[in-house]
Amino acid sequence: MSHQSAISAAGAGYRLGELREFCNSPGGYALVVNYAPGSMKGAVVAVGEERVVLDGSGRAVIGRASGPQIRDREIFAEPGAAGFDTDRLEFNLETA
């Protein structure tokens, strides 16, 4: 996985650049975002057409792929009630 950062305002949130996913696992993978526990409650993170509302737990599965994939998708984030109250989001692929 790699990330090309390009932050810009977009509606009520921000475009955070493009995420390149590459996984050759025959069983597929999950796209996961990790962040500081207790932060980002109610914030929305979207990668391509998949989106998740963060619950403050520090980890969320954004989506899954059922097999090997190579794809480039835009990342978007919209703040929750507390705004962006952490300074980083970490995206990972977890194989199935």
Side-chain angles (χ1 to χ4, degrees):
M1 173 175 312
S2 65
H3 175 239
Q4 291 289 90
S5 181
I7 299 173
S8 63
Y14 296 89
R15 284 189 199 96
L16 302 179
E18 192 169 87
L19 191 66
R20 180 169 182 84
E21 301 168 36
F22 174 86
C23 184
N24 62 0
S25 172
Y29 62 90
L31 175 60
V32 175
V33 62
N34 294 297
Y35 55 97
S39 68
M40 300 293 285
K41 190 168 186 170
V44 174
V45 174
V47 178
E49 297 298 317
E50 297 177 307
R51 57 185 272 136
V52 64
V53 177
L54 303 181
D55 62 7
S57 69
R59 181 181 188 281
V61 175
I62 297 174
R64 299 182 188 281
S66 60
Q69 290 266 347
I70 299 174
R71 57 185 171 178
D72 297 322
R73 301 191 292 166
E74 184 135 333
I75 304 168
F76 173 82
E78 186 177 311
F84 291 121
D85 54 352
T86 187
D87 64 348
R88 74 184 64 219
L89 298 174
E90 178 183 296
F91 295 91
N92 294 302
L93 298 180
E94 296 178 0
T95 58

